[in-house]
Amino acid sequence: MIESGSNLGRLVPRKIVIASAAFVFCMVALLNQALAAEQAVIVHFRYGSRDLHRLFVLEDKLEATITRSQAGEFDGDEIATDGSDGFLYMYGPSADKLFEIVIPVLKTTDFMRGADVTRRYGPPGDRTPEVKTVIAPNSNP
């Protein structure tokens, strides 16, 4: 029970307003962070083997490079059951920054020659802008 003349009755609404504003601010910040992290670099490559050791070596290099640069995250791969081709997925706030960081690593990997690299500038969708680059078959490291 709140006593008459007590400040508690007047402070509670103020605390609720402050807590509500802080919650809204945090939710907006999280939403902005999630939307920024929606940019992607997606690599479609020919592999030609069921032995995934070379792919795992490349993934370790990509993950270390991206982590060190703080440009985003390496999310993983999809590989055909027959090993014929696959995809690599990387996400971060800037597809261009991710591309700049991973392209030297990709160019030093033999099975990445001729790979299609897509920079996606937002969430998946028909209207999301993309830029596609092919790693030249005769790329030098």
Side-chain angles (χ1 to χ4, degrees):
M1 176 166 217
I2 300 174
E3 298 176 20
S4 68
S6 168
N7 286 332
L8 188 58
R10 285 181 266 167
L11 293 178
V12 171
R14 222 179 258 155
K15 286 182 179 179
I16 291 173
V17 169
I18 292 170
S20 297
F23 175 77
V24 169
F25 177 77
C26 288
M27 293 307 294
V28 168
L30 287 173
L31 180 60
N32 285 337
Q33 184 179 11
L35 289 174
E38 281 289 326
Q39 293 198 13
V41 172
I42 302 167
V43 182
H44 181 216
F45 61 95
R46 315 277 176 264
Y47 193 64
S49 176
R50 289 185 182 189
D51 178 1
L52 301 180
H53 175 73
R54 295 179 308 143
L55 177 60
F56 295 151
V57 169
L58 171 61
E59 289 179 353
D60 288 345
K61 289 179 185 176
L62 289 170
E63 188 165 14
T65 301
I66 294 168
T67 300
R68 191 171 41 252
S69 70
Q70 299 180 344
E73 67 178 334
F74 176 78
D75 190 48
D77 67 63
E78 289 181 5
I79 188 88
T81 55
D82 65 359
S84 59
D85 70 328
F87 291 87
L88 299 173
Y89 299 94
M90 295 155 273
Y91 299 95
S94 170
D96 290 328
K97 180 71 172 169
L98 268 173
F99 178 81
E100 176 186 312
I101 287 162
V102 302
I103 198 68
V105 177
L106 297 174
K107 285 183 174 184
T108 62
T109 306
D110 62 340
F111 62 88
M112 285 291 139
R113 305 288 196 275
D116 296 314
V117 182
T118 301
R119 286 176 271 175
R120 189 184 69 212
Y121 299 99
D126 292 339
R127 296 184 178 183
T128 301
E130 295 182 345
V131 172
K132 297 186 185 280
T133 304
V134 175
I135 299 175
N138 59 356
S139 289
N140 294 322

